[in-house]
Structures are given as structure tokens and as C-alpha cells.
């Protein structure tokens, strides 16, 4: 079989095409530890079947040879799920669900740059996996909300205990969500957008 | 992590190098972002890289760089180089994402809010 024949068919199904009027896009990134429901959330609100994009990252190796001055570099391909929501005839929202390997999220140039904000999905059985990402988002000035994904058997903590455990400022919304549910996932995104609106209207706080 | 998308997957390392264009990459690459919307402005020509021809065919309607990367199963950086060349030859148009301000403006957020409420 000639593999090239398949190339003519590459691309979106006709029902997945954006209107010709689509003029600009915005993005929101969904982050969180391994298996916390990122892909599920992307899928539950996306208007297209979620797709996978990938990027090749070059990382300086850990074993740096000082004497020879040779740095080992490793190439890794990182795959990222994403979905799409047409907000109106001109504006399109893309949702990116980061893969489980946290150390790559912030190496992906252009993933967080220009993002409206992020949703941090949290599994209360494994709070510690979120510490690093929360710190990095704060460091980069990416606004975020925290969504607690309700897994069966997960411990239920009062919100103020969670806030303390995660060391989050009072202003950062913490909400419950079920990533499998379209309405709940949409509400999580709406919480992020109202928080962003709040940030734009609030006067810069004095520390 | 392995590739999970479907599409052309015949590209070995040599082929990817070709698509990358080797040294001397185009300057235009930095104007292309993950969610830039690409629209074809020309028909595929004989002798074109198959990947470039595929881009022109799939971008009859606007399509993000991320989607193109997914359908071609090529890394975003490779697709970006491919698109930079097509842009330089005016074979595609790129619609920039809403510019990243320190904070997004109220009108934009209002539009996002309304769009989500209509879901
Ligand atoms: N009970 C419950 N299960 C969920 C929820 N969200 C996801 N799951 C389940 O949890 C499992 C993992 O979900 P994924 O969406 O693949 O998680 P992920 O964060 O994308 O995982 P990685 O990409 O591997 O890090 C799946 O079996 C989901 O069905 C939720 O809100 N509640
Ligand atoms: Mg996933």
C-alpha cells in the first residue's frame, strides 16, 4: 500500500472545521498530577474529539562532565492533549491538558505564554504532587484556580484546611469539580474567567 | 510518552530533518504561536514537500498550529518551521492569538464568559 495516499485525507473532519470568520484564539492550560483527570476535563468540554500535539524538548543532561566541558543533552518528545471551544464566530478557546511528567510543562516554550490562566486539578489523596506546579505558576505570574476532583474514597478536607495545606492566598478560588461532567468542567472554567475578571478590576494590593 | 494521534507517520529522522529545513531557519518562526490560526492562501503545487501540501489542504478553513501538529503527527517546532516557509511565500495567512497582556482586558473576558455560558 502506498502510504502517501493517506496524506490527502489528513486534516479535520468537515464538521470539525472552524468558521472562516475565526479571527483569534485564546488558551487555558489544565495542569495537575498524574491521572488527576486533565484529559477527561479537556474531553468533556471540547467540541472536537481531543487531539494530541507534541513537542521535542532538549534538556541538558544531569551528568555534566566538567573536565571535558561536554554537556549531555537528551531529547524527549512530550505529548499534550487539547480540545477546542468556539466562543463565538470570531473567538476560539483552546484547552491544553498537560501530560503527567511535570518537569516538562515549563520547558514547553509557548505553552503558558499568552495563556489566559490555568486550572490546577487536585486529587486530595496526593496533594503533594501539586506543590511544585503551584509554585511555578505563581513564579511565572500565571493566574490559576484550584479544582478538587472528587475521586471515590478521596479524603474530604474543609476548604480552609486545603488552602492552608496548599499555602494559597485567600483570593485564589478553590472549587469542587467532576472532570467527567461537562457542566462541572464548564463551571470550573467559568470560575477561572470570573477570577480573571476580578483580577482586572481589583486595585493592586499593598503587601 | 508515545505519539497517540493518527495521521501520517512515515517520517524517519532524515525526513524530519528535511521538514526542519536544516540550518538557517526562517526568522518568521517567532510570529507563529501554538494557537495562531492558519488559513491557506494558495493551492498545493507539484514538487512541494508533502507536509506543506497537506497543510494547504487542511487549512481551507482556519486551523490552529496545535491542530496541524496533531493531524500531521509532527512536533510543534517542526510544524512552525514548515509554516514559516509557507508564510514567507504568502501561501498561508496566520491570525495571531489575542495578544498576551499582563492581564487580559475586560471585553475579552466578557466574550469568553458568554461563550462558556452558552455551552
Ligand atoms: N471519580 C472521578 N474519576 C475521574 C474524574 N476525572 C477523571 N476520572 C477518572 O480518572 C482516570 C484518569 O483520568 P485522566 O483524565 O486520564 O487523567 P490525566 O490527568 O489526563 O492523566 P495523565 O495524563 O496520565 O496524567 C480516568 O479513568 C477517569 O475516568 C473525576 O472527576 N471523578
Ligand atoms: Mg492525560
Amino acid at each position: 500500500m502506498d502510504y502517501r495516499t493517506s496524506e490527502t485525507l489528513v486534516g479535520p473532519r468537515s464538521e470539525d472545521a472552524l468558521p472562516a470568520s475565526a479571527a483569534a484564539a485564546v488558551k487555558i492550560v489544565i495542569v495537575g498530577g498524574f491521572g488527576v483527570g486533565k484529559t477527561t476535563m479537556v474531553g468533556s468540554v471540547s467540541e472536537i474529539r481531543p487531539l494530541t500535539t507534541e513537542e521535542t524538548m532538549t534538556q541538558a543532561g544531569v551528568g555534566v562532565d566538567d573536565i571535558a566541558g561536554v554537556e549531555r543533552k537528551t531529547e524527549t518528545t512530550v505529548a499534550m492533549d487539547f480540545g477546542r471551544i468556539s466562543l463565538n464566530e470570531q473567538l476560539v478557546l483552546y484547552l491544553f491538558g498537560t501530560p503527567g511528567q511535570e518537569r516538562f510543562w515549563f520547558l514547553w516554550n509557548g505553552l503558558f505564554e499568552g495563556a489566559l490562566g490555568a486550572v490546577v486539578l487536585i486529587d486530595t489523596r496526593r496533594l503533594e504532587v501539586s506543590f511544585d506546579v503551584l509554585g511555578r505558576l505563581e513564579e511565572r505570574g500565571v493566574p490559576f484556580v484550584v479544582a478538587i476532583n472528587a475521586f471515590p474514597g478521596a479524603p474530604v478536607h474543609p476548604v480552609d484546611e486545603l488552602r492552608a495545606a496548599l499555602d494559597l492566598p485567600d483570593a485564589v478560588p478553590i472549587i469542587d469539580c467532576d472532570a467527567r461532567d461537562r457542566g462541572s468542567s464548564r463551571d470550573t472554567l467559568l470560575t477561572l474567567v470570573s477570577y480573571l475578571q476580578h483580577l482586572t478590576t481589583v486595585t493592586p494590593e499593598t503587601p | 510518552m508515545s505519539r497517540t494521534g493518527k495521521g501520517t507517520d512515515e517520517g524517519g529522522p532524515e525526513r524530519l530533518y528535511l521538514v526542519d529545513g536544516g540550518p538557517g531557519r526562517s526568522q518568521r518562526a517567532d510570529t507563529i504561536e501554538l494557537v495562531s490560526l492558519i488559513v491557506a492562501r494558495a493551492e498545493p503545487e507539484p514538487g512541494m514537500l508533502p507536509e506543506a501540501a497537506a497543510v494547504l489542504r487542511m487549512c481551507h478553513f482556519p486551523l490552529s498550529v496545535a491542530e496541524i501538529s496533531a493531524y500531521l503527527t509532527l512536533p510543534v517546532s517542526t510544524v512552525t518551521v514548515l509554516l514559516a516557509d509557507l508564510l514567507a511565500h504568502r501561501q498561508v495567512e496566520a491570525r495571531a492569538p489575542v495578544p498576551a497582556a499582563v492581564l487580559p482586558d475586560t471585553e475579552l473576558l466578557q466574550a469568553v464568559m458568554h461563550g462558556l455560558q452558552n455551552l
Side-chain angles (χ1 to χ4, degrees):
Chain A
M1 196 192 118
D2 180 8
Y3 56 77
R4 280 181 197 248
T5 51
S6 67
E7 280 185 350
T8 55
L9 301 171
V10 169
R13 300 176 306 169
S14 56
E15 60 267 41
D16 287 345
L18 284 170
S21 56
V26 290
K27 65 186 168 187
I28 289 175
V29 186
I30 299 171
V31 298
F34 186 77
V36 80
K38 294 158 294 191
T39 301
T40 306
M41 178 171 274
V42 168
S44 70
V45 285
S46 177
E47 68 193 14
I48 55 170
R49 187 175 49 85
L51 296 168
T52 305
T53 179
E54 61 186 46
E55 186 58 300
T56 310
M57 318 267 183
T58 312
Q59 244 195 330
V62 268
V64 176
D65 188 337
D66 283 327
I67 298 158
V70 179
E71 220 179 61
R72 271 195 298 135
K73 291 206 169 165
T74 41
E75 284 221 328
T76 315
T77 298
V78 176
M80 176 100 43
D81 303 314
F82 69 100
R84 194 184 80 194
I85 298 170
S86 298
L87 296 165
N88 57 44
E89 288 294 299
Q90 285 84 38
L91 192 60
V92 191
L93 169 65
Y94 285 93
L95 293 173
F96 289 88
T98 55
Q101 316 122 292
E102 300 150 57
R103 62 206 160 104
F104 295 118
W105 302 343
F106 295 92
L107 290 176
W108 187 316
N109 287 322
L111 179 61
F112 288 98
E113 286 85 353
L116 290 177
V119 172
V120 182
L121 276 180
I122 287 195
D123 178 350
T124 52
R125 292 168 301 183
R126 294 171 296 146
L127 276 188
E128 64 292 344
V129 302
S130 327
F131 293 165
D132 184 52
V133 67
L134 291 173
R136 298 233 213 177
L137 289 173
E138 281 164 354
E139 209 175 277
R140 289 209 167 200
V142 180
F144 61 87
V145 296
V146 170
I148 311 294
N149 221 359
F151 282 93
V156 180
H157 302 287
V159 166
D160 44 332
E161 269 178 35
L162 273 177
R163 190 180 295 283
L166 296 170
D167 195 20
L168 291 176
D170 287 345
V172 175
I174 301 180
I175 42 172
D176 288 313
C177 94
D178 186 331
R180 297 163 302 178
D181 183 77
R182 183 180 170 89
S184 177
S185 297
R186 181 204 52 203
D187 290 346
T188 302
L189 296 174
L190 280 170
T191 304
L192 174 64
V193 181
S194 2
Y195 175 54
L196 296 172
Q197 284 181 322
H198 165 78
L199 289 179
T200 57
T201 51
V202 93
T203 44
E205 68 240 54
T206 35
Chain B
M1 195 169 271
S2 64
R3 293 175 174 191
T4 49
K6 280 194 172 152
T8 55
D9 204 8
E10 74 279 11
E14 314 82 350
R15 191 166 171 85
L16 290 184
Y17 182 77
L18 241 186
V19 172
D20 268 349
R25 295 171 169 200
S26 166
Q27 300 289 314
R28 302 291 295 272
D30 34 306
T31 64
I32 300 167
E33 294 173 47
L34 190 57
V35 297
S36 293
L37 295 176
I38 307 299
V39 194
R41 285 288 169 247
E43 294 296 324
E45 289 160 19
M48 244 183 176
L49 272 177
E51 290 84 355
V55 168
L56 295 185
R57 276 191 292 267
M58 78 172 83
C59 293
H60 184 58
F61 288 102
L63 208 56
S64 66
V65 174
E67 280 162 298
I68 297 169
S69 149
Y71 290 124
L72 291 177
T73 49
L74 287 174
V76 172
S77 48
T78 306
V79 170
T80 301
V81 173
L82 192 66
L83 289 171
D85 193 52
L86 289 170
L87 252 190
H89 292 93
R90 298 175 194 279
Q91 288 163 304
V92 297
E93 174 196 326
R95 302 180 181 172
V98 177
V102 181
L103 279 172
D105 72 63
T106 3
E107 246 172 76
L108 170 67
L109 292 175
Q110 204 66 46
V112 176
M113 192 72 118
H114 284 149
L116 287 172
Q117 277 160 348
N118 290 336
L119 261 188

